Amino acid sequence: MTDRSADPTTDLGTDLAAVAAGLDAEDPLAGYRDRFLPADGVVAYLDGNSLGRPLRATAERMERFVRADWGTRLIRGWDEGWVDRPRSLGDRIGAAALGAAPGQVVVADSTTVLLYKLARAAVDHQAAAGRREIVVDTDNFPTDRYVLEGIAAERGAVLRWITTDPASGVTPEQVAAAVGPDTALVLLSHVAYRSGFLADAPAITRTAHDAGALVLWDLSHSVGSVPVRLDAWGADLAVGCGYKYLNGGPGAPAFGYLAARHTTTLRQPITGWFGHRAPFAMGPGHEPAPDVRALLSGTPPVLASVPLECGVELLEQAGIDAVRAKSVRLTGFALDLADTLLAPHGVTVASPRDPDRRGGHVTLRREDLAQVNARLWERGVIPDFRAPDGIRIGLAPLSTSFAEVLAGMTALAEEVAR
């Protein structure tokens, strides 16, 4: 069972429904569930760490934006706020979720594109000092690894791999052993996409800086679920997506963080017109903006940012610390249910038991879980599968109830007992 001295959940008795009902009755965030659109036929949605559910306000705001903001203001909308939207919405994400002071976050592009921009800028800057190594771990999300492989090929850099146990994640000690005088950049995920392992970001950032390296944090599985303190960590760069816990919808714009101290020294490689010092001057030659706007390239995705804005507003109202407190209880409850209902059928836990090292999802393992996951989807229970043998239970605190977790885990127990 989980360690309740660090992760206090209610002791499980024989009446699991009563336990779940009690936890929901005590949940200060329970009322937020009504802010989301219902999903017909879905018994339990356990994949909020991949795609958040849509808010009722999102459908209303999108219609209003199309009919009023876009439909009546037309091109005048650019002068009435659209131009500043990447930075203004970025500042709100920075304040609500990232621990970032204003002027360091923009909303633009996809996670992959922003990751490329930031990583290339860091590698190019560090090359002037003769640093050619990029540190990354073997279990990082595929796009992170693929982007770095491409940058290494472009710039003649060398990838230095940290071999990671998917159930534990990257430690400061591993980073210390990997960095040195040739290290240009360390790129890691704050919460591991496979296991949910929560890295010790402050310690890792200090370790990299002591070696003279820059650090780029992928916050895709953190933002909106786990408090992030980029400024306090002394982070250099960060990136993350808007469609998981921020509920921005499929393919929502990403965000990029560039610490203020780097805005005039790091230069991203895709020099489009919106990152120009004066984009509407239409002048010859690219002059980068003197602030975080330099991360922008093309016309910002204004329409696509409307759902993301709704999600950020909800997070502002709830508060990231309250969200994290519920996340710990949700994942602790899921682990207790796994021990009670699933362990007798050979299902093992591949996520940290310590809540201080656990993000917002729990991964369970058995060799046949791909087939089990498919059957669960047919029953209206929606977790997701990650090869080779893991089901992730992704619990979004603002939209997930304890009763929903119990319903999903009970269905999973029935399927693994077949």
Side-chain angles (χ1 to χ4, degrees), residues 85-107 219 222-224 226-233 235 238-242 246 254-259 292 308-309 311-313 315-316 319-321:
R85 199 172 182 88
R87 188 168 52 176
S88 62
L89 185 52
D91 281 348
R92 293 178 70 179
I93 295 172
L98 305 179
Q104 301 178 101
V105 181
V106 289
V107 170
L219 305 176
S222 310
V223 63
V226 176
V228 173
R229 314 291 185 204
L230 290 174
D231 289 352
W233 297 348
V239 67
C241 66
L246 293 182
F255 63 86
Y257 166 90
L258 177 63
V292 74
L308 180 59
E309 182 180 53
V312 173
E313 286 179 3
L315 181 63
E316 290 171 336
I320 187 61
D321 291 331

Side-chain angles (χ1 to χ4, degrees), residues 262-394:
H262 294 309
T263 52
T264 59
T265 55
L266 268 64
R267 292 286 176 244
Q268 63 100 346
I270 307 178
T271 51
W273 77 301
F274 242 82
H276 193 279
R277 177 184 297 272
F280 291 94
M282 309 291 182
H286 184 77
E287 299 177 38
D291 52 32
V292 74
R293 290 180 300 120
L295 284 182
L296 302 176
S297 298
T299 306
V302 174
L303 184 61
S305 70
V306 173
L308 180 59
E309 182 180 53
C310 293
V312 173
E313 286 179 3
L314 196 70
L315 181 63
E316 290 171 336
Q317 294 166 21
I320 187 61
D321 291 331
V323 167
R324 173 58 176 168
K326 181 176 177 182
S327 176
V328 169
R329 292 183 69 82
L330 281 169
T331 54
F333 185 52
L335 287 172
D336 287 341
L337 291 172
D339 291 337
T340 301
L341 303 177
L342 304 177
H345 302 289
V347 177
T348 60
V349 173
S351 294
R353 298 279 182 165
D354 180 357
D356 290 337
R357 294 273 69 86
R358 187 173 72 239
H361 64 275
V362 170
T363 299
L364 307 170
R365 298 180 65 186
R366 203 175 79 169
E367 62 181 11
D368 64 340
L369 290 187
Q371 294 79 20
V372 169
N373 192 67
R375 297 198 299 269
L376 287 172
W377 279 32
E378 293 176 357
R379 297 179 56 166
V381 175
I382 318 293
D384 76 348
F385 176 76
R386 284 292 177 263
D389 58 1
I391 276 183
R392 295 190 308 182
I393 308 298

Side-chain angles (χ1 to χ4, degrees), residues 61 64-74 77 80 82:
R61 185 93 49 98
R64 185 167 70 246
F65 186 91
V66 171
R67 293 185 181 278
D69 299 56
W70 177 15
T72 64
R73 302 314 297 158
L74 299 170
E80 295 168 357
W82 295 353

